């Protein structure tokens, strides 16, 4: 990247207050600028194609198209754009899914401003960046000789599984995730097939055994 040109960042998260805070940090840097914001997966794809940013910082879990699918779509159209995931999740499944989608880095939302800026600059240089908060989980996952069945699920399937196990109906899940009931039913069928589960009771027991609910 030309050292004289500012790093143009597109920020996507469904929480306006978080976007405002991160945006202020970015715009306060002499080598960065906030090019655009988005509040959903579908919107971040549209904005990426419109402003063609150097880096997209986005939440993994957003309404509609989630961050993982959005990353795939963006990188298909803009392969030189760098994706930096930002999430409250610290477990390996979300990190792995996002990296598989082509992301260059992953941050947790409780990181401080210094780490955020370090990650942006590293990714802008073409390097990868993993938050220290998730590095241990990623290494543990890598070292496993036996696959964890939870790892068979995509991030969205895992979200749906947890919500089913918590007793939510398909309609409630659809509303919470901004999806159609048909899409929720599709995720439900897919995760049950992958895990060889046959009913809601099986889903609850699986979630309890694997620490997804308490």
């Amino acid at each position: 990247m030309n050292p004289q040109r500012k790093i143009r960042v597109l920020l996507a998260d469904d929480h306006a207050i978080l976007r405002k805070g991160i945006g202020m940090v970015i715009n306060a840097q002499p080598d960065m600028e906030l090019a655009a914001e988005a509040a959903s997966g579908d919107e971040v794809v549209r904005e990426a194609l419109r402003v063609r940013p150097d880096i997209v910082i986005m939440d993994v879990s957003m309404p509609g198209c989630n961050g993982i699918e959005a990353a795939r779509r963006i990188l298909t159209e803009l392969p030189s754009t760098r994706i930096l995931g930002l999430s409250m999740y610290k477990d390996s499944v979300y990190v792995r899914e996002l990296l598989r989608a082509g992301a260059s880095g992953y941050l947790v939302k409780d990181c401080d401003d210094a780490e955020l800026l370090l990650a942006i600059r590293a990714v802008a240089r073409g390097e990868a960046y993993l938050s220290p908060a998730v590095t241990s989980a990623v290494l543990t996952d890598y070292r496993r000789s036996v696959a964890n069945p939870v790892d068979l699920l995509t991030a969205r399937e895992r979200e749906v599984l947890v919500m089913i196990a918590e007793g939510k109906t398909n309609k409630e899940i659809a509303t919470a995730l901004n999806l159609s009931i048909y899409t929720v039913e599709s995720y439900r069928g897919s995760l049950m097939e992958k895990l060889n589960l046959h009913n809601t009771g099986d889903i609850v027991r699986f979630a309890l055994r694997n620490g997804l609910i308490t």
Side-chain angles (χ1 to χ4, degrees):
M1 179 176 294
N2 185 339
Q4 303 302 317
R5 190 170 73 84
K6 289 188 176 184
I7 302 167
R8 301 178 69 250
V9 179
L10 167 57
L11 176 61
D13 192 280
D14 56 338
H15 295 94
I17 192 167
L18 185 143
R19 294 199 309 273
K20 181 178 180 181
I22 293 178
M24 290 175 64
V25 172
I26 290 171
N27 282 330
Q29 307 309 306
D31 59 339
M32 301 178 192
E33 64 179 359
L34 187 64
E37 297 180 22
S40 71
D42 296 318
E43 186 179 9
V44 71
V45 174
R46 290 195 301 270
E47 287 299 291
L49 295 177
R50 183 179 70 85
V51 303
R52 305 179 76 85
D54 300 306
I55 294 176
V56 178
I57 302 175
M58 64 179 164
D59 193 359
V60 174
S61 179
M62 290 186 289
C65 163
N66 65 29
I68 294 166
E69 178 59 28
R72 292 192 185 100
R73 294 185 189 179
I74 290 169
L75 292 173
T76 296
E77 299 294 330
L78 304 171
S80 63
T81 294
R82 304 282 180 172
I83 306 291
L84 181 59
L86 181 68
S87 177
M88 64 180 179
Y89 300 114
K90 298 181 181 180
D91 49 352
S92 61
V93 62
Y94 293 97
V95 183
R96 186 178 61 254
E97 285 290 323
L98 193 64
L99 295 179
R100 281 179 177 171
S104 299
Y106 191 100
L107 282 170
V108 292
K109 287 187 176 180
D110 59 4
C111 71
D112 58 23
D113 294 352
E115 185 182 357
L116 170 68
L117 297 173
L118 177 67
I120 292 173
R121 292 184 176 113
V123 169
R125 291 192 300 268
E127 301 170 8
Y129 185 89
L130 281 182
S131 171
V134 301
T135 302
S136 177
V138 171
L139 288 174
T140 299
D141 181 60
Y142 178 77
R143 290 167 180 156
R144 284 180 188 147
S145 57
V146 179
N148 183 335
V150 176
D151 294 343
L152 297 172
L153 303 178
T154 66
R156 185 64 98 189
E157 286 170 344
R158 179 172 174 157
E159 284 182 303
V160 171
L161 182 146
V162 170
M163 296 177 84
I164 293 171
E166 290 173 342
K168 292 182 172 61
T169 65
N170 286 350
K171 183 177 181 180
E172 289 170 333
I173 296 170
T175 299
L177 298 179
N178 195 25
L179 301 172
S180 69
I181 293 178
Y182 174 82
T183 300
V184 172
E185 290 173 346
S186 177
Y187 280 125
R188 181 180 186 131
S190 176
L191 71 88
M192 290 178 72
E193 181 178 356
K194 286 182 179 180
L195 300 175
N196 194 29
L197 305 177
H198 305 290
N199 52 50
T200 301
D202 285 349
I203 292 175
V204 173
R205 285 187 287 273
F206 177 88
L208 286 168
R209 280 198 310 270
N210 288 276
L212 300 177
I213 61 171
T214 56

